[in-house]
Amino acid sequence: MAQESSILDTFFEECEDLIVALTEGLEEMRDGNADDETVNAVFRAVHSIKGAAGAFALDELVGFAHKFETVLDELRSHKLTADDGLLRTLQRAGDILADLVDDARDQRPANRDVVDPVLAELQGFLGPEEEANVEEFVFEALSLGFDDDDVEGGYTVSFTPGAEFYATGNDPALIISALKELGTANVTVDTTGLPTEFGDFQWDKGYLTWTVEITGLTTDLPIHEVFQFVDDICALSITPIDAGPSAIDLPNIAEPEPTPPAEPEPIASVAPPPEAIEATPAPAPKKEETERPAKKAANTLRVDPERVDRLINAVGELIINQSVISQRLQEAALPNSSEIFADLDDYKLLAREIQEGVMAIRAQPVKPLFQRMMRIAREAADATGKDVEVVTEGEATEVDKTVVERLADPLTHMIRNAIDHGIETPEKRVAAGKSRQGTLRLSASQRAGSIVIEIADDGAGLNRPRIRDIAIEKGLIPSDAVLTDQEIDHLLFAPGFSTAAEVTNLSGRGVGMDVVKTAITALGGRIAISTVPGEGTTFSITLPLTLAVMDGMIITVGGQTMVVPISSILETVRPSPGDLSKLGLKSELLRIRGEYVPIIDLAEQLGQPPSDKTMAERVLLLIQTEAIAQCAIAVDDIFDQRQVVVKSMHNNYGDIDGVSGATILGDGKIALIIDPDAIASGPAVAPQLTQLPEGDLSHARAS
């Protein structure tokens, strides 16, 4: 039972890769690249899923995939044309196939209300329903059907599928069916390899050898085309019917000239003579045949995520150990000329290289996530009756697997909102002088140790007066509140906020954007909004590349050592008295490059006693957050900049305001990791902003 479960898990893992390949192929077809190679790639993905699903009796998945691949087979044989209607149906079928795989994994029934209409659309391209029964066909093949002795000439094809042939979902019946279309066929099967005991039978072993005599062919090129995707995972020989039992397994070979048996010398031709093939135990084609599967297997190595996590933890301890050694050497007061410092530098470089290599194991491209979001966008567009083109950029950008997994829900909310609220209906777009089709752009890039994901639409932009009125109506802000444009935009993230007039499947329940903010903040990221009325809105999400190790600034506050993420710091400032301005009795502002930004006393925010130093004697960290365009965090001093290993405190202490985690320093002490966004949005900051004159307020709070 455990072995069957393991095989089933492997099947679903393979399905994930096949769904990605299927989606890529369908996207290429929608982009106008519906050539034979692309269609064949899509067909192979669907066929592989169907074949493997049949081994586990996943009937609903098999039935849908069979109809899907039948339409694709008609397309690749040029009986159907890849017009917009067909391509739209194929994309919907790809989405349904992915749903059915998920349903099978979770052991839940398929949603027939969704599946059946797409099945009907697929059948509409096939005409009256006349399905061939694959099981009956296999039985017919085993009974040695397709006899026709009246036609002379042709080729004898013999093939023995290997374990990988069956493991990847291929079916000998479909191969034989394709050969049957090339001419008159006579099929036989050699069953002598079958085990005598039922207990010795293994489902993935190739026990059967199929022999197909095809008459009416003048070249073996069509036969090679049938086997072009499986010739490296089965033993294959192709011989002219009138040339004896010799095997010819080189591609694109015409009928060879017969070689006199009396001539032992090798003949200078592309195909070796029959005698040479029989006498040589390992000819060149066979060698190439054995090398190709090995190369394919080396491309992907599946590893248990728990093993990777343990390795990451070990690397984290290695980095901590490196910090401890550095601390001990400093305490030893050795001369700088000592060779041990050079060795320590080499150790640091090696530790960082190992850390980056291990993080790369967990890293994965955002492409599968983007493909999933494209499907969400199509469903939202269909539900709202809008025509939306989804454009993706930076799909190869890699990020920690945990980050990718936890981004799915936030991006889903944002994309649905962009289509439901942002992009106008075709009629309104035309009236506004725009094209009928809206554009939703999803992009990813790496910037300064962070990943930035943007969701941009070319819709009407945010209606700030309406957002403000709704916030007042829902009691989120007082009616006399004076807010900047940026603060109005961020009202979208307030719990319970919704601009929808009625509840629909997409919006209107007052949840969504607050969930987005919570999820992004939990990942150590931040979100920003940029909008231009009438032109569109862009949401920018900035996230750490990994959740395990980060670059941090080591600071001291009230005698305590803490860490501030480097990604949040724009610059560090040691202010002169002339750069500081008083605001009320306690608050101060920093004037920098002609603008005023509020100063946040980190010690005060964390409930510590105020520092004995004046603000001019302290260090200011200029940061950018989602709550305030810029602000300065006051700390006592800066100690160092180094990599730190992030340790979660949530399980032991719950959520702590202003603290995102902890780390272990080289001296063995524990240092808290500051959450700049939480510090900047704390209660001590609001009074500073409300006391500013409106002219200065724009400098302090608007970007």
Side-chain angles (χ1 to χ4, degrees):
M1 184 69 67
Q3 182 179 4
E4 181 180 350
S5 176
S6 176
I7 296 173
L8 189 60
D9 291 340
T10 301
F11 161 69
F12 288 122
E13 290 175 357
E14 294 290 345
C15 280
E16 292 179 4
D17 297 335
L18 292 169
I19 291 295
V20 170
L22 169 64
T23 305
E24 290 176 357
L26 292 174
E27 289 174 4
E28 289 185 23
M29 292 168 64
R30 284 300 300 265
D31 292 339
N33 185 25
D35 55 18
D36 291 344
E37 182 178 352
T38 304
V39 176
N40 280 330
V42 174
F43 176 86
R44 289 197 305 274
V46 178
H47 173 59
S48 297
I49 292 175
K50 187 195 87 167
F56 299 102
L58 303 176
D59 296 337
E60 290 182 323
L61 180 56
V62 171
F64 186 87
H66 177 68
K67 186 76 67 179
F68 194 177
E69 74 170 357
T70 303
V71 174
L72 290 169
D73 193 37
E74 295 287 295
L75 179 60
R76 69 176 186 165
S77 61
H78 305 290
K79 296 178 182 178
L80 291 175
T81 303
D83 55 19
D84 289 341
L86 176 59
L87 293 177
R88 189 177 297 108
T89 298
L90 292 179
Q91 276 199 317
R92 292 187 61 192
D95 295 342
I96 296 299
L97 190 65
D99 278 344
L100 290 174
V101 170
D102 292 339
D103 292 340
R105 179 191 287 113
D106 299 336
Q107 297 183 354
R108 61 174 180 254
N111 185 349
R112 304 310 309 181
D113 293 338
V114 177
V115 175
D116 290 343
V118 179
L119 273 175
E121 289 184 28
L122 291 172
Q123 186 61 48
F125 291 100
L126 299 175
E129 188 168 359
E130 295 179 2
E131 297 187 42
N133 190 310
V134 176
E135 287 74 20
E136 290 180 3
F137 170 75
V138 173
F139 178 80
E140 185 179 3
L142 288 169
S143 65
L144 314 182
F146 318 127
D147 295 311
D148 191 337
D149 299 328
D150 297 333
V151 184
E152 299 291 335
Y155 291 85
T156 299
V157 181
S158 178
F159 69 99
T160 305
E164 189 177 354
F165 182 95
Y166 294 106
T168 52
N170 290 287
D171 190 343
L174 293 176
I175 297 291
I176 296 172
S177 178
L179 293 173
K180 181 185 171 187
E181 295 179 0
L182 302 179
T184 304
N186 179 42
V187 183
T188 58
V189 61
D190 182 1
T191 61
T192 56
L194 287 171
T196 56
E197 298 292 335
F198 180 77
D200 297 333
F201 184 84
Q202 299 182 40
W203 69 270
D204 61 343
K205 297 298 182 183
Y207 297 114
L208 303 178
T209 297
W210 303 85
T211 301
V212 184
E213 291 186 356
I214 308 173
T215 56
L217 283 179
T218 59
T219 175
D220 63 351
L221 181 58
I223 300 175
H224 284 289
E225 291 178 350
V226 170
F227 285 93
Q228 62 180 326
F229 302 119
V230 296
D231 58 351
D232 57 344
I233 52 178
C234 69
L236 171 66
S237 69
I238 304 173
T239 60
I241 287 179
D242 57 353
S246 306
I248 299 176
D249 52 3
L250 289 175
N252 301 333
I253 300 176
E255 295 184 12
E257 297 181 4
T259 305
E263 296 288 342
E265 296 82 10
I267 298 177
S269 63
V270 176
E275 293 79 6
I277 295 176
E278 293 174 356
T280 305
K286 296 294 182 184
K287 181 178 180 182
E288 180 184 347
E289 216 170 84
T290 58
E291 287 178 353
R292 269 191 287 179
K295 182 176 180 182
K296 288 170 63 178
N299 287 337
T300 302
L301 177 63
R302 296 189 182 277
V303 180
D304 187 341
E306 291 185 2
R307 295 186 179 184
V308 179
D309 290 339
R310 289 199 298 269
L311 182 58
I312 289 176
N313 289 335
V315 172
E317 297 301 322
L318 177 66
I319 294 174
I320 293 174
N321 180 257
Q322 171 241 304
S323 299
V324 171
I325 294 175
S326 300
Q327 184 76 19
R328 296 292 182 266
L329 290 177
Q330 290 178 3
E331 294 173 355
L334 296 177
N336 293 334
S337 59
S338 176
E339 292 183 358
I340 195 170
F341 285 103
D343 294 336
L344 179 61
D345 289 338
D346 292 340
Y347 179 31
K348 289 180 180 179
L349 291 174
L350 181 59
R352 189 176 187 93
E353 184 176 347
I354 294 174
Q355 178 260 323
E356 291 175 351
V358 172
M359 292 306 159
I361 296 177
R362 280 192 63 93
Q364 67 178 43
V366 297
K367 186 171 187 176
L369 175 65
F370 278 15
Q371 289 179 338
R372 180 177 174 183
M373 293 304 107
M374 292 179 69
R375 174 186 170 186
I376 297 295
R378 288 196 297 270
E379 292 174 350
D382 290 342
T384 56
K386 297 177 181 179
D387 186 4
V388 180
E389 178 188 14
V390 182
V391 179
T392 59
E393 297 176 355
E395 293 179 327
T397 303
E398 292 188 339
V399 69
D400 189 280
K401 184 176 186 294
T402 303
V403 176
V404 172
E405 291 172 349
R406 292 165 63 179
L407 271 177
D409 287 343
L411 289 184
T412 297
H413 285 301
M414 298 175 74
I415 286 174
R416 285 176 173 171
N417 279 345
I419 294 177
D420 194 18
H421 300 298
I423 297 178
E424 312 95 327
T425 61
E427 295 75 18
K428 289 184 178 180
R429 291 182 63 86
V430 171
K434 299 180 179 180
S435 63
R436 290 182 57 87
Q437 185 180 60
T439 300
L440 181 69
R441 188 176 303 276
L442 192 59
S443 65
S445 61
Q446 288 187 12
R447 302 177 193 171
S450 300
I451 180 173
V452 179
I453 295 179
E454 293 186 344
I455 302 95
D457 65 71
D458 64 345
L462 297 181
N463 187 338
R464 288 179 175 132
R466 185 184 176 204
I467 292 174
R468 188 179 186 280
D469 292 343
I470 292 176
I472 294 173
E473 179 184 338
K474 293 181 177 292
L476 300 176
I477 59 173
S479 59
D480 58 349
V482 179
L483 302 177
T484 65
D485 288 345
Q486 186 180 29
E487 289 170 333
I488 293 175
D489 295 345
H490 278 87
L491 288 173
L492 295 176
F493 300 114
F497 184 90
S498 176
T499 59
E502 58 184 14
V503 175
T504 67
N505 290 333
L506 293 181
S507 59
R509 301 187 183 274
V511 296
M513 296 308 289
D514 61 321
V515 174
V516 170
K517 181 180 178 181
T518 301
I520 299 303
T521 303
L523 288 170
R526 61 182 185 272
I527 185 169
I529 306 175
S530 173
T531 185
V532 178
E535 296 184 15
T537 303
T538 300
F539 289 85
S540 299
I541 301 173
T542 303
L543 295 163
L545 287 174
T546 177
L547 301 181
V549 179
M550 73 173 190
D551 289 315
M553 186 79 75
I554 312 298
I555 63 168
T556 56
V557 177
Q560 299 293 321
T561 303
M562 300 183 180
V563 180
V564 179
I566 289 290
S567 59
S568 300
I569 301 175
L570 299 176
E571 61 181 296
T572 60
V573 180
R574 285 193 178 272
S576 64
D579 296 330
L580 302 171
S581 300
K582 282 286 186 180
L583 183 64
L585 297 177
K586 296 175 59 178
S587 302
E588 291 187 76
L589 299 175
L590 170 67
R591 181 177 176 86
I592 181 169
R593 289 183 287 276
E595 295 187 359
Y596 289 96
V597 297
I599 299 176
I600 303 170
D601 191 327
L602 184 57
E604 181 182 348
Q605 285 288 86
L606 296 177
Q608 293 184 327
S611 174
D612 296 334
K613 297 181 179 180
T614 65
M615 198 61 70
E617 296 173 327
R618 302 169 73 182
V619 180
L620 303 182
L621 306 180
L622 192 65
I623 65 171
Q624 183 177 19
T625 73
E626 64 180 57
I628 307 174
Q630 287 185 6
C631 67
I633 294 180
V635 301
D636 291 343
D637 208 348
I638 295 176
F639 177 70
D640 194 6
Q641 177 181 333
R642 67 176 65 159
Q643 275 192 319
V644 296
V645 179
V646 181
K647 301 290 186 179
S648 174
M649 300 175 62
H650 178 79
N651 292 336
N652 295 323
Y653 301 100
D655 294 328
I656 304 175
D657 291 339
V659 176
S660 61
T663 189
I664 302 175
L665 301 177
D667 57 3
K669 293 181 179 179
I670 295 176
L672 298 179
I673 299 175
I674 300 302
D675 182 353
D677 283 324
I679 294 295
S681 58
V685 184
Q688 299 184 53
L689 299 179
T690 55
Q691 293 178 43
L692 281 173
E694 184 59 31
D696 290 338
L697 185 67
S698 61
H699 290 292
R701 297 182 293 181
S703 51

